[in-house]
Amino acid sequence: MSDYKLKIGITQGDTNGIGWEVILRTLGDSRIVELFTPVVYGSQSVAKHYAATLDEECGRVQFNVVGSAREARRGKVNLVECGTPSVVKAGEPAKEAGAAAVEALERAIVDLQEGELAALVTAPIDKEMAQGEHFAFTGHTEFVAAHAEGEPMMIMCSERLRVGLQTIHIPVADVAKSLSKEKIVASLNTLRHTLKQDFGIVEPRIAVLALNPHAGEGGMLGTEEQEIIQPAIVEAFESGVLAFGPFPADGLFASGAYAKYDAVLAMYHDQGLTPFKTLSPDGVNFTAGLSVVRTSPDHGTAFDIAGKAKADAQSMRNAIYAAIDIVRNREAWERWNAKPLQHFEREKGRDVSVKDLKLPEVEE
């Protein structure tokens, strides 16, 4: 089934990073517009700079320049012109490149809020270089969350593994004191909901990681498991969440036991992302829990290879495919939950409404 009518926004990211290279490699395949309508937010002159370093197919991308996503045309690679730095210095961190990335992001978020985009895919930024008057966030996740309804959860996903994060961009020294039973229960409920709504899993099983080595070793190596994590798992399980653990991270991933679960809840950033990126090098970063859909490649700006035509676009492709799938799944979820009895009867072969159902009479 083609979703070519879906408008998917794509931001250019840091103009000195590999953002434009992976975008051009992805959109260089002319068949891509049969899947969705691309709306890229960024600088055409920067795009031409990187196109000249790539092979002929990638360099042939023709942009249909528009003022906003509302004007985007099907069958075209549309471009909202914005975020043009005075100079491109591939591989070099620069405040001007960070500002260009933020300008593209701001233009895209307006169209996303107004419903002109079905989803947003963000190319990587340099968080330090992006800091300024218009961007005082620790990452895309926090920025998008500030412009949408809901509580964000970072989920790394691939066909092999899904990892949700209890804490995101905070120092490791602050992780333990930021944990609470209530927050973990809330995260488990969010993770369960997104697995059902966004990934189409009927009733997901979730593995919860411990914070300390060997899950605290009975309190010898820390008490967070006994005092916070385990009670949260019990409370969530009693409310209907199929949560299990806490498991030592090394044992769960090294043994392959993670494959028995639909998702893993990690306590902090690197605890979840290190095994994920090792097992799924072309994975996707998805911001769950929000009213809007946002995905991104699971890599950074890669300044070390920027401008050298070495960047692999598979993670960008996967981020776009994931965004389309999540939009589809949300639409199906909304249909099914709007009139569940009607859908139940349709599945049995009859398209009826609730008023057509013959209920047994009750004697007074």
Side-chain angles (χ1 to χ4, degrees), residues 245-269:
F247 300 107
D250 57 348
L252 185 77
F253 289 109
S255 67
Y258 66 89
K260 299 177 182 178
Y261 301 92
D262 298 296
V264 175
L265 180 64
M267 292 298 107
Y268 59 94
H269 188 278

Side-chain angles (χ1 to χ4, degrees), residues 294-336:
R294 175 258 168 176
T295 65
S296 74
D298 72 349
H299 56 70
T301 53
F303 287 136
D304 58 322
I305 61 170
K308 299 178 181 179
K310 295 181 178 181
D312 187 340
Q314 190 57 50
S315 187
M316 172 59 79
R317 295 189 192 97
N318 289 344
I320 292 171
Y321 300 152
I324 294 172
D325 286 344
I326 291 167
V327 170
R328 284 177 179 167
N329 288 336
R330 284 196 178 185
E331 290 175 348
W333 173 265
E334 290 178 3
R335 288 196 303 270
W336 272 95

Side-chain angles (χ1 to χ4, degrees), residues 106-317:
E106 289 183 317
R107 290 289 296 274
I109 207 71
V110 170
D111 282 348
L112 186 66
Q113 288 176 309
E114 293 180 352
E116 296 298 332
L117 297 173
L120 179 63
V121 179
T122 57
I125 61 173
D126 182 322
K127 298 176 180 63
E128 181 182 357
M129 294 299 104
Q131 295 300 309
E133 180 183 354
H134 299 284
F135 193 91
F137 303 90
T138 53
H140 277 115
T141 300
E142 294 80 6
F143 176 87
V144 176
H147 295 82
E149 297 179 0
E151 290 296 324
M153 168 177 280
M154 181 187 289
I155 295 181
M156 308 301 292
C157 51
S158 69
E159 293 183 356
R160 186 174 190 178
L161 177 64
R162 301 180 193 91
V163 176
L165 300 183
Q166 179 62 40
T167 60
I168 308 177
H169 297 126
I170 65 173
V172 173
D174 295 337
V175 171
K177 60 186 178 184
S178 73
L179 299 180
S180 71
K181 184 183 75 170
E182 292 74 22
K183 289 180 179 179
I184 295 175
V185 170
S187 293
L188 286 169
N189 279 296
T190 296
L191 188 51
R192 178 198 186 206
H193 180 72
T194 195
L195 290 169
K196 292 162 72 75
Q197 171 189 260
D198 300 327
F199 295 92
I201 300 170
V202 176
E203 191 54 71
R205 292 166 51 88
I206 302 170
V208 182
L209 296 184
L211 174 66
N212 297 297
H214 307 297
E217 201 74 82
M220 294 175 59
L221 302 178
T223 60
E224 285 82 5
E225 286 74 21
Q226 295 172 313
E227 297 175 357
I228 300 174
I229 303 175
Q230 182 64 43
I233 294 171
V234 171
E235 181 173 323
F237 193 93
E238 290 177 346
S239 68
V241 182
L242 298 184
F244 305 88
F247 300 107
D250 57 348
L252 185 77
F253 289 109
S255 67
Y258 66 89
K260 299 177 182 178
Y261 301 92
D262 298 296
V264 175
L265 180 64
M267 292 298 107
Y268 59 94
H269 188 278
D270 286 14
Q271 184 190 48
L273 267 64
T274 299
F276 177 85
K277 291 186 177 184
T278 301
L279 295 166
S280 301
D282 296 319
V284 175
N285 181 347
F286 166 49
T287 305
L290 299 180
S291 55
V292 298
V293 175
R294 175 258 168 176
T295 65
S296 74
D298 72 349
H299 56 70
T301 53
F303 287 136
D304 58 322
I305 61 170
K308 299 178 181 179
K310 295 181 178 181
D312 187 340
Q314 190 57 50
S315 187
M316 172 59 79
R317 295 189 192 97

